[in-house]
Amino acid sequence: MKKSILHLVLDKALSTKRPHDTQQTRDFTLWLWDNLPAHLRDDAMVDLAGNLHVDSRTDINQATLFVAHVDTVHKTVGKNRIRKTRSHWFADGDVLGADDGAGVAMLMHLIHSGIPAYYIFTQGEEKGGIGAKHLTDDHAELLAQFDRAIAFDRRGIDSIITHQGWGRCCSDQFGSALCDAIGEIDFDLMHLNDDSGIYTDTAEFVDIIPECTNISIGYDKEHTQNESLNIVYFNRLAIACTEIRWDDLPVVRDPAIRESLAFDGFWQDDLDSNEFYNALLDARYGHHRPLVDLVSQYVHPDDPILMARHLNPYQVNLRTIDQMLDDIDSMVDTDIESHIYRLADDMYSHS
Ligand SMILES: [Zn+2]
């Protein structure tokens, strides 16, 4: 029996280690190009960052963008050995690379199923969204054509991501409509809006595209040798995703408005301006750790360690820090919370 494109791509992806900016990863990207349906192959293109673009839209009302990243966190290139059980897949002694090989396979499956949309296979997500940043920098007009950007790059089997980092990426209405749409097709797939997303490519698009999300694709413990893929969930989601009417999902969020993650205020009470002042002062003189820790704790108490990895303190302007120090010095009624969100915004790899 001929293997489905879904499993052909999944097998190929997971059996290949794909660190960013290696020949092996470039070859894998070209292999995807070669395996597109014949009628889409000629018009596909690779941009200057190495992202592979595939446009299967058939009319101008279609406004859905799907993205998945081709790179993995592997340290070396070469073959990856996969171990399969009936319910889960693993790698022997290394990262599995279902983050985001599973998403890549899902996109190829949607393309071959004739779902009209724009598809981008991105580079360097694991290096801070290199490919996605290139899209916002050099292809903003393209991104502006879309009402929604969908990534399949979330762990677990039940999340529709509504927030990444500390900010909203899609409306609750959009998230709930997507949960309902999947559930109506397959009663056993139960998703909920999840505001604890950290980072994926679609976080880069939130200033341009109204509804940006990330859907659980079934991997777990990504970035470790214990990474697994729930193949039962993955297969069922793949079937459901070909039946969703993506372009009918509601478009509610205004990308011009930044909305921070609502939080319960417990850190607000805990945080004294002294601690904040000292962290700012440390950062002023090149010791960034306390400020990064404080900001991560504040904006993402669920997983501050992971959050911290996405914060780059060198993106903060020294004048911003000086201004905040002045504010506290001059005893004006300082809004520490807004200062911290400002810093998070400057430091986040979405910039
Ligand atoms: Zn990923």
Side-chain angles (χ1 to χ4, degrees):
M1 195 178 88
K2 194 163 164 280
K3 209 188 268 183
S4 68
I5 190 77
L6 182 69
H7 280 245
L8 180 77
V9 177
L10 188 66
D11 274 332
K12 172 78 174 177
L14 301 190
S15 57
T16 313
K17 300 180 185 183
R18 290 164 283 124
H20 175 59
D21 198 17
T22 56
Q23 192 56 46
Q24 189 152 328
T25 303
R26 281 187 286 275
D27 288 346
F28 175 73
T29 308
L30 294 178
W31 181 89
L32 293 174
W33 192 342
D34 284 341
N35 283 279
L36 291 171
H39 70 286
L40 297 175
R41 221 173 282 152
D42 285 352
D43 290 333
M45 67 114 175
V46 168
D47 67 26
L48 289 174
N51 304 313
L52 172 63
H53 295 236
V54 182
D55 190 358
S56 73
R57 292 172 297 174
T58 51
D59 82 66
I60 52 163
N61 295 318
Q62 292 159 354
T64 301
L65 168 66
F66 291 104
V67 294
H69 64 90
V70 296
D71 63 310
T72 59
V73 295
H74 288 108
K75 299 268 190 309
T76 57
V77 293
K79 258 196 112 42
N80 208 25
R81 225 176 340 185
I82 314 170
R83 194 158 51 81
K84 300 176 180 177
T85 71
R86 207 176 270 235
S87 62
H88 288 79
W89 290 14
F90 308 86
D92 263 341
D94 208 336
V95 174
L96 177 62
D99 173 7
D100 191 25
V104 168
M106 178 67 86
L107 261 59
M108 286 294 276
H109 164 74
L110 294 178
I111 292 170
H112 280 265
S113 302
I115 308 303
Y118 200 96
Y119 298 82
I120 307 180
F121 299 88
T122 61
Q123 305 288 341
E125 192 271 352
E126 301 291 3
K127 298 287 182 195
I130 292 171
K133 283 194 174 67
H134 173 75
L135 294 169
T136 56
D137 290 345
D138 281 28
H139 299 271
E141 278 176 27
L142 169 70
L143 296 180
Q145 296 173 14
F146 307 116
D147 289 335
R148 62 199 70 74
I150 316 282
F152 295 97
D153 186 22
R154 175 63 180 185
R155 80 174 71 95
I157 58 169
D158 57 9
S159 292
I160 302 292
I161 291 295
T162 58
H163 295 69
Q164 298 187 53
W166 67 98
R168 183 180 283 283
C169 54
C170 77
S171 64
D172 288 335
Q173 293 94 321
F174 173 86
S176 301
L178 183 51
C179 295
D180 291 349
I182 300 172
E184 278 167 23
I185 295 161
D186 185 338
F187 291 133
D188 286 332
L189 296 176
M190 273 185 283
H191 293 84
L192 286 172
N193 286 354
D194 178 347
D195 65 9
S196 71
I198 304 285
Y199 179 82
T200 189
D201 287 329
T202 53
E204 301 292 342
F205 309 149
V206 298
D207 291 340
I208 303 174
I209 301 178
E211 305 290 2
C212 299
T213 190
N214 187 8
I215 302 177
S216 283
I217 188 67
Y219 64 64
D220 198 17
K221 299 194 173 67
E222 70 280 11
H223 298 192
T224 76
Q225 297 194 358
N226 295 322
E227 183 185 359
S228 63
L229 176 65
N230 181 329
I231 196 70
V232 177
Y233 168 81
F234 173 77
N235 288 337
R236 295 186 79 133
L237 185 70
I239 294 169
C241 283
T242 57
E243 291 178 36
I244 293 171
R245 298 163 65 96
W246 297 94
D247 286 306
D248 290 350
L249 293 169
V251 184
V252 177
R253 193 184 72 95
D254 178 352
I257 298 171
R258 283 281 185 92
E259 189 191 324
S260 294
L261 187 63
F263 73 105
D264 56 15
F266 129 88
W267 264 93
Q268 175 85 348
D269 300 337
D270 259 20
L271 184 79
D272 67 88
S273 61
N274 245 336
E275 188 189 349
F276 183 52
Y277 187 86
N278 287 332
L280 281 171
L281 213 53
D282 280 344
R284 181 71 186 77
Y285 294 103
H287 180 47
H288 296 115
R289 197 71 239 173
L291 191 61
V292 170
D293 287 347
L294 190 147
V295 169
S296 326
Q297 285 280 4
Y298 198 81
V299 302
H300 217 289
D302 283 350
D303 200 342
I305 294 166
L306 192 52
M307 185 71 210
R309 281 198 228 135
H310 289 283
L311 296 180
N312 177 2
Y314 293 97
Q315 291 177 184
V316 181
N317 197 311
L318 282 185
R319 285 179 44 205
T320 306
I321 294 181
D322 284 340
Q323 186 60 52
M324 290 180 182
L325 286 167
D326 279 355
D327 269 12
I328 300 172
D329 269 339
S330 61
M331 308 280 280
V332 286
D333 193 13
T334 310
D335 181 358
I336 295 181
E337 185 189 352
S338 77
H339 279 352
I340 288 180
Y341 278 116
R342 167 73 199 279
L343 289 168
D345 206 25
D346 288 355
M347 283 191 227
Y348 194 48
S349 57
H350 154 70
S351 54

